[in-house]
Amino acid sequence: MASYFFSIPKIFFGEEAIGALRRLNHKKVGIVTDSFMASSGKTRYLINQMPLASVSIFSEVKPDPDINILHAGAAQFKSFRPDVIIALGGGSSLDAAKGIKVTLEEYFTDTAIELIAIPTTSGSGSEVTSYAIISDPQNGRKYPLIAHELVPDCAILDPQLVLSVPRQVAVDTGMDVLTHAIEALVSTGANDFSDALAEKAIALTWQYLPQVFRDEQDIQARTHMHNASCMAGMAFNAAGLGLVHGMAHAIGGMLHIPHGKINAMLLPLIIEFNAERSACARERYLKCAAIMGIRDRSPQQTIRQLIASIRDINRHFGIPATLAELGKDLSGFAALRSQLIAAALADGCTASNPCQPVAAEVDGLLTRIAG
């Protein structure tokens, strides 16, 4: 069966990457971002690169954007009719911009709008993927939308924009990078191209995320993590993800937990789950362990050490092991279990997990993550 690996977007990276915006002078540019980016000077940082452009800023993006945000952004830009939309921010702003761009193109069927993604966190990889996570607040759910039209045309990785990200946010999003890369490596859709990117992303994250935690202003470590985030995004866009994300979308949406944090909490549990059930997954996890410099006397002991090492680094970063340790009120958790199980099993990411779980197995994993 033929596999597919995309060749867009163009990626500009390094400390001078922002200069790629200079070509937008004399264009009509819509910027999609949140209120902090608009008030903190980050949008001005962009506009200074294209002083002759006409610019409209939509700064109403909130965490976990829903359909109402997409409609509001599209309504603002409908009369402006931008040539280009720039997404500036974390995963929420990037996902919102993707949705706004597609919504606008439904209005203007004869117009293709260029999408430029400029991430300000090193985590989601949304700047290079066909994924957008849109929330349904009424039902406490997050839905991964997947369409080729959602892939940006250009990504700009400027490490200056992530220097101000607080330490705890940096490690939460950094563990999201590690989860993306590991899940892409063991996914049923893994291939030579995605493996190359996933393996490099694992190596960079394992080396440089502790350095970011130790020194938030380490520009070299921040640069490597920003690149790793992009590589992991390219890997999972080609290969798919797995049960960590399938469960994280459900739990994070219903219990309002940052995506990277709940991924980090679930990752060791799902590695153990998959390794017990799939010989192919075991081989892939052994490759992951070798990249991270983890070797023990036997394959089983090596995988146990891999799981222990991820738990240890979570603890080092202040990421709890269970929902109880996180401080979540679990009094209503039992009532949510059937919804959580159904959502995890139906999630598009679960489909490419190396082994397909049944409801009772997801229920058991929920018991373990609850604590």
Side-chain angles (χ1 to χ4, degrees):
M1 187 176 73
S3 297
Y4 167 74
F5 190 84
F6 65 97
S7 58
I8 57 171
K10 296 178 181 176
I11 300 170
F12 298 88
F13 60 97
E15 293 191 54
E16 300 299 323
I18 201 68
L21 293 179
R22 291 178 194 133
R23 67 180 175 83
L24 301 183
N25 269 328
H26 307 291
K27 297 269 191 180
K28 297 175 76 173
V29 179
I31 298 177
V32 175
T33 192
D34 57 45
S35 57
F36 173 76
M37 288 291 154
S39 63
S40 65
K42 296 294 194 301
T43 50
R44 173 52 54 186
Y45 179 63
L46 271 56
I47 292 168
N48 286 344
Q49 300 295 322
M50 44 180 184
L52 301 180
S54 298
V55 177
S56 176
I57 300 173
F58 177 75
S59 59
E60 297 176 25
V61 177
K62 304 289 191 299
D64 304 324
D66 59 26
I67 194 72
N68 296 323
I69 292 291
L70 308 191
H71 288 315
Q76 175 175 321
F77 291 142
K78 196 173 180 182
S79 58
F80 181 64
R81 294 200 68 158
D83 303 304
V84 180
I85 288 178
I86 297 176
L88 175 70
S92 293
S93 290
L94 272 57
D95 289 349
K98 291 178 176 184
I100 290 168
K101 180 248 192 188
V102 171
T103 304
L104 278 175
E105 288 179 337
E106 289 177 355
Y107 289 141
F108 308 120
T109 55
D110 59 339
T111 303
I113 302 169
E114 182 181 359
L115 179 60
I116 298 175
I118 306 179
T120 60
T121 60
S122 303
S124 75
S126 186
E127 68 274 11
V128 289
T129 74
S130 57
Y131 289 70
I133 307 301
I134 304 301
S135 293
D136 174 7
Q138 287 187 325
N139 295 304
R141 294 277 297 277
K142 294 182 181 180
Y143 295 97
L145 306 181
I146 308 172
H148 182 73
E149 292 77 14
L150 298 176
V151 181
D153 300 286
C154 173
I156 297 176
L157 310 180
D158 184 340
Q160 294 294 333
L161 288 169
V162 296
L163 277 177
S164 60
V165 175
R167 175 181 283 109
Q168 194 57 55
V169 175
V171 295
D172 283 353
T173 56
M175 289 303 293
D176 195 17
V177 175
L178 186 66
T179 305
H180 287 158
I182 292 176
E183 287 215 291
L185 192 68
V186 302
S187 164
T188 56
N191 56 71
D192 289 346
F193 294 90
S194 63
D195 283 357
L197 290 159
E199 290 170 20
K200 186 63 175 180
I202 291 167
L204 289 173
T205 303
W206 200 246
Q207 179 175 355
Y208 289 104
L209 187 56
Q211 294 185 29
V212 171
F213 183 71
R214 187 164 56 248
D215 179 6
E216 295 169 274
Q217 298 304 306
D218 185 333
I219 188 69
Q220 182 190 41
R222 290 279 196 173
T223 298
H224 285 301
M225 278 306 304
H226 218 30
N227 293 345
S229 176
C230 184
M231 291 175 194
M234 294 173 76
F236 82 73
N237 195 64
L241 289 164
L243 184 57
V244 177
H245 274 78
M247 291 186 67
H249 290 147
I251 297 170
M254 294 188 196
L255 299 185
H256 308 292
I257 302 168
H259 180 65
K261 191 183 295 291
I262 187 62
N263 270 342
M265 294 166 65
L266 286 164
L267 181 58
L269 290 177
I270 304 303
I271 291 175
E272 183 178 28
F273 175 85
N274 287 337
E276 288 174 351
R277 289 160 177 79
S278 166
C280 181
R282 284 195 294 275
E283 289 302 313
R284 290 279 168 153
Y285 288 133
L286 288 172
K287 181 182 289 189
C288 175
I291 294 165
M292 295 157 70
I294 298 167
R295 290 178 180 82
D296 216 312
R297 288 184 295 276
S298 70
Q300 293 82 0
Q301 288 171 316
T302 298
I303 290 174
R304 281 198 293 270
Q305 186 57 43
L306 169 65
I307 294 166
S309 296
I310 292 171
R311 288 195 170 116
D312 287 346
I313 203 167
N314 278 343
R315 192 176 303 111
H316 178 66
F317 291 157
I319 297 173
T322 65
L323 299 175
E325 191 182 331
L326 184 60
K328 288 293 174 180
D329 180 3
L330 298 179
S331 57
F333 189 69
L336 292 173
R337 285 181 90 100
S338 61
Q339 290 176 262
L340 289 167
I341 292 166
L345 291 174
D347 194 284
C349 296
T350 302
S352 49
N353 196 65
C355 57
Q356 284 305 297
V358 297
E361 291 170 328
V362 175
D363 189 51
L365 290 165
L366 287 173
T367 297
R368 294 185 65 188
I369 198 65

